[in-house]
Short mmCIF file of all heavy atoms in Angstrom, two decimals:
data_model
loop_
_atom_site.label_atom_id
_atom_site.label_comp_id
_atom_site.label_asym_id
_atom_site.label_seq_id
_atom_site.Cartn_x
_atom_site.Cartn_y
_atom_site.Cartn_z
N PHE A 1 0.85 -1.18 0.00
CA PHE A 1 0.00 0.00 0.00
C PHE A 1 0.89 1.24 0.00
O PHE A 1 1.86 1.32 0.76
CB PHE A 1 -0.90 0.03 1.24
CG PHE A 1 -2.02 -0.98 1.22
CD1 PHE A 1 -1.82 -2.26 1.72
CD2 PHE A 1 -3.25 -0.66 0.69
CE1 PHE A 1 -2.83 -3.20 1.71
CE2 PHE A 1 -4.28 -1.59 0.67
CZ PHE A 1 -4.08 -2.86 1.18
N SER A 2 0.56 2.20 -0.84
CA SER A 2 1.35 3.43 -0.93
C SER A 2 0.44 4.60 -1.26
O SER A 2 -0.72 4.43 -1.63
CB SER A 2 2.45 3.28 -2.00
OG SER A 2 1.87 2.98 -3.27
N ILE A 3 1.00 5.79 -1.12
CA ILE A 3 0.31 7.03 -1.47
C ILE A 3 1.13 7.73 -2.53
O ILE A 3 2.36 7.79 -2.44
CB ILE A 3 0.17 7.95 -0.24
CG1 ILE A 3 -0.71 7.31 0.83
CG2 ILE A 3 -0.38 9.33 -0.63
CD1 ILE A 3 -0.65 8.01 2.17
N ASP A 4 0.47 8.25 -3.54
CA ASP A 4 1.19 9.11 -4.47
C ASP A 4 0.31 10.30 -4.85
O ASP A 4 -0.91 10.26 -4.75
CB ASP A 4 1.69 8.35 -5.70
CG ASP A 4 0.59 7.78 -6.57
OD1 ASP A 4 -0.24 8.55 -7.07
OD2 ASP A 4 0.58 6.55 -6.77
N PHE A 5 0.98 11.36 -5.24
CA PHE A 5 0.30 12.55 -5.72
C PHE A 5 1.28 13.31 -6.61
O PHE A 5 2.46 12.96 -6.69
CB PHE A 5 -0.21 13.42 -4.57
CG PHE A 5 0.86 13.88 -3.61
CD1 PHE A 5 1.51 15.08 -3.79
CD2 PHE A 5 1.20 13.10 -2.52
CE1 PHE A 5 2.50 15.50 -2.90
CE2 PHE A 5 2.18 13.51 -1.62
CZ PHE A 5 2.82 14.70 -1.82
N ARG A 6 0.79 14.34 -7.28
CA ARG A 6 1.62 15.10 -8.20
C ARG A 6 1.50 16.58 -7.88
O ARG A 6 0.46 17.04 -7.40
CB ARG A 6 1.18 14.88 -9.65
CG ARG A 6 1.47 13.49 -10.20
CD ARG A 6 0.27 12.58 -10.07
NE ARG A 6 0.47 11.31 -10.75
CZ ARG A 6 0.98 10.23 -10.19
NH1 ARG A 6 1.36 10.26 -8.93
NH2 ARG A 6 1.13 9.11 -10.89
N THR A 7 2.54 17.32 -8.21
CA THR A 7 2.52 18.77 -8.06
C THR A 7 3.08 19.43 -9.31
O THR A 7 3.84 18.82 -10.07
CB THR A 7 3.34 19.24 -6.84
OG1 THR A 7 4.70 18.83 -6.99
CG2 THR A 7 2.77 18.70 -5.54
N VAL A 8 2.68 20.67 -9.49
CA VAL A 8 3.31 21.53 -10.50
C VAL A 8 3.46 22.91 -9.90
O VAL A 8 2.67 23.32 -9.04
CB VAL A 8 2.49 21.64 -11.81
CG1 VAL A 8 2.45 20.31 -12.55
CG2 VAL A 8 1.09 22.16 -11.55
N ASN A 9 4.48 23.61 -10.33
CA ASN A 9 4.66 25.01 -9.99
C ASN A 9 4.13 25.82 -11.17
O ASN A 9 4.57 25.64 -12.30
CB ASN A 9 6.13 25.32 -9.73
CG ASN A 9 6.36 26.78 -9.38
OD1 ASN A 9 6.33 27.63 -10.26
ND2 ASN A 9 6.59 27.06 -8.11
N VAL A 10 3.16 26.69 -10.92
CA VAL A 10 2.49 27.37 -12.02
C VAL A 10 3.45 28.23 -12.83
O VAL A 10 3.30 28.39 -14.06
CB VAL A 10 1.29 28.20 -11.51
CG1 VAL A 10 1.75 29.37 -10.65
CG2 VAL A 10 0.41 28.66 -12.66
N ASP A 11 4.47 28.80 -12.19
CA ASP A 11 5.44 29.60 -12.93
C ASP A 11 6.22 28.74 -13.91
O ASP A 11 6.52 29.16 -15.04
CB ASP A 11 6.39 30.31 -11.97
CG ASP A 11 5.66 31.31 -11.08
OD1 ASP A 11 4.70 31.95 -11.57
OD2 ASP A 11 6.05 31.44 -9.92
N ASP A 12 6.55 27.51 -13.50
CA ASP A 12 7.25 26.59 -14.40
C ASP A 12 6.36 26.19 -15.57
O ASP A 12 6.81 26.07 -16.71
CB ASP A 12 7.69 25.33 -13.64
CG ASP A 12 8.82 25.59 -12.67
OD1 ASP A 12 9.33 26.72 -12.64
OD2 ASP A 12 9.18 24.66 -11.93
N VAL A 13 5.07 25.96 -15.28
CA VAL A 13 4.13 25.59 -16.35
C VAL A 13 4.06 26.69 -17.39
O VAL A 13 4.14 26.45 -18.60
CB VAL A 13 2.73 25.30 -15.76
CG1 VAL A 13 1.71 25.09 -16.87
CG2 VAL A 13 2.77 24.08 -14.85
N ILE A 14 3.92 27.93 -16.94
CA ILE A 14 3.78 29.06 -17.87
C ILE A 14 5.06 29.28 -18.66
O ILE A 14 5.03 29.52 -19.88
CB ILE A 14 3.40 30.33 -17.08
CG1 ILE A 14 2.00 30.17 -16.49
CG2 ILE A 14 3.47 31.57 -17.98
CD1 ILE A 14 1.61 31.27 -15.51
N ALA A 15 6.20 29.19 -17.99
CA ALA A 15 7.49 29.47 -18.64
C ALA A 15 8.04 28.26 -19.39
O ALA A 15 9.08 28.36 -20.03
CB ALA A 15 8.51 29.92 -17.59
N ARG A 16 7.34 27.12 -19.32
CA ARG A 16 7.82 25.88 -19.94
C ARG A 16 9.20 25.49 -19.39
O ARG A 16 10.10 25.08 -20.13
CB ARG A 16 7.86 26.00 -21.46
CG ARG A 16 6.48 25.97 -22.10
CD ARG A 16 5.90 24.57 -21.99
NE ARG A 16 4.54 24.49 -22.49
CZ ARG A 16 4.03 23.44 -23.15
NH1 ARG A 16 4.80 22.39 -23.36
NH2 ARG A 16 2.78 23.44 -23.54
N ARG A 17 9.35 25.65 -18.10
CA ARG A 17 10.53 25.16 -17.40
C ARG A 17 10.20 23.74 -16.98
O ARG A 17 9.42 23.51 -16.05
CB ARG A 17 10.80 26.06 -16.19
CG ARG A 17 12.08 25.79 -15.44
CD ARG A 17 12.35 26.94 -14.48
NE ARG A 17 13.51 26.64 -13.63
CZ ARG A 17 13.41 26.25 -12.35
NH1 ARG A 17 12.22 26.11 -11.79
NH2 ARG A 17 14.49 26.00 -11.66
N GLU A 18 10.80 22.76 -17.66
CA GLU A 18 10.27 21.41 -17.58
C GLU A 18 11.28 20.38 -18.04
O GLU A 18 12.38 20.72 -18.51
CB GLU A 18 9.02 21.31 -18.46
CG GLU A 18 9.30 21.68 -19.91
CD GLU A 18 8.06 21.90 -20.76
OE1 GLU A 18 6.95 22.10 -20.20
OE2 GLU A 18 8.19 21.88 -22.00
N ALA A 19 10.92 19.12 -17.92
CA ALA A 19 11.74 18.03 -18.44
C ALA A 19 11.64 17.97 -19.96
O ALA A 19 10.67 18.47 -20.54
CB ALA A 19 11.27 16.71 -17.83
N PRO A 20 12.63 17.36 -20.61
CA PRO A 20 12.58 17.28 -22.08
C PRO A 20 11.53 16.28 -22.54
O PRO A 20 11.35 15.22 -21.94
CB PRO A 20 13.99 16.81 -22.44
CG PRO A 20 14.46 16.06 -21.24
CD PRO A 20 13.86 16.77 -20.05
N ASN A 21 10.84 16.63 -23.61
CA ASN A 21 9.88 15.70 -24.20
C ASN A 21 10.58 14.91 -25.30
O ASN A 21 10.91 15.45 -26.35
CB ASN A 21 8.68 16.45 -24.78
CG ASN A 21 7.61 15.52 -25.31
OD1 ASN A 21 7.75 14.29 -25.26
ND2 ASN A 21 6.53 16.09 -25.81
N VAL A 22 10.80 13.63 -25.05
CA VAL A 22 11.50 12.82 -26.05
C VAL A 22 10.55 11.91 -26.83
O VAL A 22 10.91 11.44 -27.91
CB VAL A 22 12.61 11.97 -25.40
CG1 VAL A 22 13.72 12.84 -24.87
CG2 VAL A 22 12.06 11.07 -24.31
N ASP A 23 9.32 11.68 -26.31
CA ASP A 23 8.48 10.71 -27.03
C ASP A 23 6.99 10.80 -26.70
O ASP A 23 6.22 9.90 -27.06
CB ASP A 23 8.96 9.28 -26.75
CG ASP A 23 8.95 8.91 -25.26
OD1 ASP A 23 8.30 9.62 -24.48
OD2 ASP A 23 9.59 7.92 -24.89
N SER A 24 6.52 11.85 -26.04
CA SER A 24 5.11 11.96 -25.69
C SER A 24 4.35 12.72 -26.77
O SER A 24 4.77 13.80 -27.17
CB SER A 24 4.94 12.65 -24.34
OG SER A 24 5.54 11.89 -23.31
N ALA A 25 3.20 12.16 -27.20
CA ALA A 25 2.43 12.77 -28.28
C ALA A 25 0.94 12.77 -27.98
O ALA A 25 0.13 12.79 -28.88
CB ALA A 25 2.72 12.03 -29.59
N CYS A 26 0.56 12.76 -26.70
CA CYS A 26 -0.84 12.70 -26.31
C CYS A 26 -1.51 14.06 -26.49
O CYS A 26 -0.86 15.07 -26.75
CB CYS A 26 -0.94 12.25 -24.85
SG CYS A 26 0.18 13.13 -23.76
N THR A 27 -2.83 14.08 -26.33
CA THR A 27 -3.58 15.32 -26.41
C THR A 27 -4.37 15.52 -25.12
O THR A 27 -4.56 14.59 -24.33
CB THR A 27 -4.54 15.33 -27.61
OG1 THR A 27 -5.37 14.17 -27.55
CG2 THR A 27 -3.76 15.33 -28.91
N GLY A 28 -4.86 16.75 -24.92
CA GLY A 28 -5.50 17.09 -23.67
C GLY A 28 -4.46 17.39 -22.61
O GLY A 28 -3.25 17.30 -22.85
N THR A 29 -4.92 17.76 -21.43
CA THR A 29 -4.00 18.05 -20.34
C THR A 29 -4.68 17.75 -19.00
O THR A 29 -5.89 17.91 -18.86
CB THR A 29 -3.55 19.53 -20.35
OG1 THR A 29 -2.67 19.77 -19.25
CG2 THR A 29 -4.72 20.48 -20.28
N THR A 30 -3.88 17.32 -18.04
CA THR A 30 -4.39 17.06 -16.69
C THR A 30 -4.36 18.31 -15.82
O THR A 30 -4.74 18.25 -14.65
CB THR A 30 -3.53 15.98 -16.00
OG1 THR A 30 -2.18 16.45 -15.87
CG2 THR A 30 -3.54 14.67 -16.78
N LEU A 31 -3.93 19.44 -16.35
CA LEU A 31 -3.71 20.62 -15.52
C LEU A 31 -4.96 21.09 -14.78
O LEU A 31 -4.86 21.65 -13.69
CB LEU A 31 -3.16 21.76 -16.37
CG LEU A 31 -1.65 21.70 -16.67
CD1 LEU A 31 -1.26 22.76 -17.68
CD2 LEU A 31 -0.84 21.86 -15.38
N ARG A 32 -6.13 20.85 -15.34
CA ARG A 32 -7.36 21.28 -14.66
C ARG A 32 -7.63 20.48 -13.38
O ARG A 32 -8.50 20.84 -12.59
CB ARG A 32 -8.54 21.20 -15.60
CG ARG A 32 -8.49 22.21 -16.74
CD ARG A 32 -9.74 22.14 -17.61
NE ARG A 32 -9.66 23.07 -18.73
CZ ARG A 32 -9.03 22.82 -19.88
NH1 ARG A 32 -8.43 21.64 -20.04
NH2 ARG A 32 -9.00 23.71 -20.85
N ASP A 33 -6.93 19.37 -13.20
CA ASP A 33 -7.09 18.56 -11.99
C ASP A 33 -6.33 19.14 -10.80
O ASP A 33 -6.56 18.71 -9.66
CB ASP A 33 -6.59 17.13 -12.22
CG ASP A 33 -7.42 16.38 -13.25
OD1 ASP A 33 -8.55 16.82 -13.54
OD2 ASP A 33 -6.95 15.35 -13.75
N PHE A 34 -5.44 20.09 -11.05
CA PHE A 34 -4.55 20.57 -9.99
C PHE A 34 -5.19 21.70 -9.19
O PHE A 34 -5.84 22.59 -9.75
CB PHE A 34 -3.23 21.03 -10.60
CG PHE A 34 -2.34 19.89 -11.05
CD1 PHE A 34 -2.54 19.28 -12.27
CD2 PHE A 34 -1.33 19.43 -10.23
CE1 PHE A 34 -1.73 18.23 -12.68
CE2 PHE A 34 -0.51 18.38 -10.63
CZ PHE A 34 -0.72 17.78 -11.86
N LEU A 35 -4.96 21.65 -7.87
CA LEU A 35 -5.52 22.62 -6.94
C LEU A 35 -4.40 23.41 -6.26
O LEU A 35 -3.36 22.85 -5.91
CB LEU A 35 -6.33 21.91 -5.86
CG LEU A 35 -7.40 20.92 -6.33
CD1 LEU A 35 -7.99 20.19 -5.14
CD2 LEU A 35 -8.48 21.64 -7.12
N ARG A 36 -4.61 24.70 -6.07
CA ARG A 36 -3.60 25.53 -5.42
C ARG A 36 -3.50 25.15 -3.94
O ARG A 36 -4.51 24.98 -3.26
CB ARG A 36 -3.94 27.00 -5.58
CG ARG A 36 -2.86 27.96 -5.10
CD ARG A 36 -3.05 29.35 -5.69
NE ARG A 36 -4.38 29.87 -5.44
CZ ARG A 36 -4.91 30.90 -6.11
NH1 ARG A 36 -4.21 31.50 -7.06
NH2 ARG A 36 -6.14 31.32 -5.82
N VAL A 37 -2.28 25.03 -3.45
CA VAL A 37 -2.06 24.60 -2.07
C VAL A 37 -2.71 25.57 -1.09
O VAL A 37 -3.30 25.16 -0.09
CB VAL A 37 -0.55 24.46 -1.80
CG1 VAL A 37 -0.28 24.25 -0.31
CG2 VAL A 37 0.04 23.31 -2.61
N SER A 38 -2.64 26.86 -1.36
CA SER A 38 -3.09 27.86 -0.39
C SER A 38 -4.59 27.83 -0.15
O SER A 38 -5.05 28.01 0.98
CB SER A 38 -2.66 29.26 -0.83
OG SER A 38 -3.22 29.58 -2.10
N ASP A 39 -5.39 27.60 -1.21
CA ASP A 39 -6.84 27.73 -1.07
C ASP A 39 -7.64 26.71 -1.87
O ASP A 39 -8.87 26.79 -1.94
CB ASP A 39 -7.28 29.15 -1.46
CG ASP A 39 -6.82 29.53 -2.87
OD1 ASP A 39 -6.34 28.65 -3.62
OD2 ASP A 39 -6.93 30.72 -3.21
N GLN A 40 -6.96 25.78 -2.53
CA GLN A 40 -7.59 24.72 -3.32
C GLN A 40 -8.36 25.24 -4.53
O GLN A 40 -9.25 24.57 -5.06
CB GLN A 40 -8.48 23.82 -2.46
CG GLN A 40 -7.69 23.08 -1.39
CD GLN A 40 -8.51 22.05 -0.64
OE1 GLN A 40 -9.47 21.49 -1.17
NE2 GLN A 40 -8.14 21.78 0.60
N GLU A 41 -8.00 26.43 -4.98
CA GLU A 41 -8.54 26.93 -6.25
C GLU A 41 -7.91 26.15 -7.40
O GLU A 41 -6.74 25.77 -7.33
CB GLU A 41 -8.27 28.43 -6.41
CG GLU A 41 -9.13 29.31 -5.54
CD GLU A 41 -10.59 29.25 -5.93
OE1 GLU A 41 -10.91 29.34 -7.13
OE2 GLU A 41 -11.43 29.09 -5.02
N ARG A 42 -8.67 25.95 -8.47
CA ARG A 42 -8.16 25.18 -9.60
C ARG A 42 -7.18 26.00 -10.44
O ARG A 42 -7.14 27.23 -10.37
CB ARG A 42 -9.30 24.67 -10.48
CG ARG A 42 -10.14 23.60 -9.79
CD ARG A 42 -10.92 22.76 -10.75
NE ARG A 42 -11.60 21.68 -10.04
CZ ARG A 42 -11.07 20.49 -9.80
NH1 ARG A 42 -9.85 20.21 -10.22
NH2 ARG A 42 -11.76 19.56 -9.15
N MET A 43 -6.40 25.28 -11.23
CA MET A 43 -5.46 25.92 -12.14
C MET A 43 -6.21 26.92 -13.02
O MET A 43 -7.29 26.60 -13.54
CB MET A 43 -4.79 24.85 -13.01
CG MET A 43 -3.76 25.36 -14.00
SD MET A 43 -2.26 26.00 -13.23
CE MET A 43 -1.58 24.52 -12.45
#
């Protein structure tokens, strides 16, 4: 049994400060699932 979750820093998302994309070609985005730590407002 384990717990996992994901985070993003919104400044990194906007500035495209990120890992290199070597082979991903999907569509859509999970970004709308993310909630701000301070108040749980959505992206």
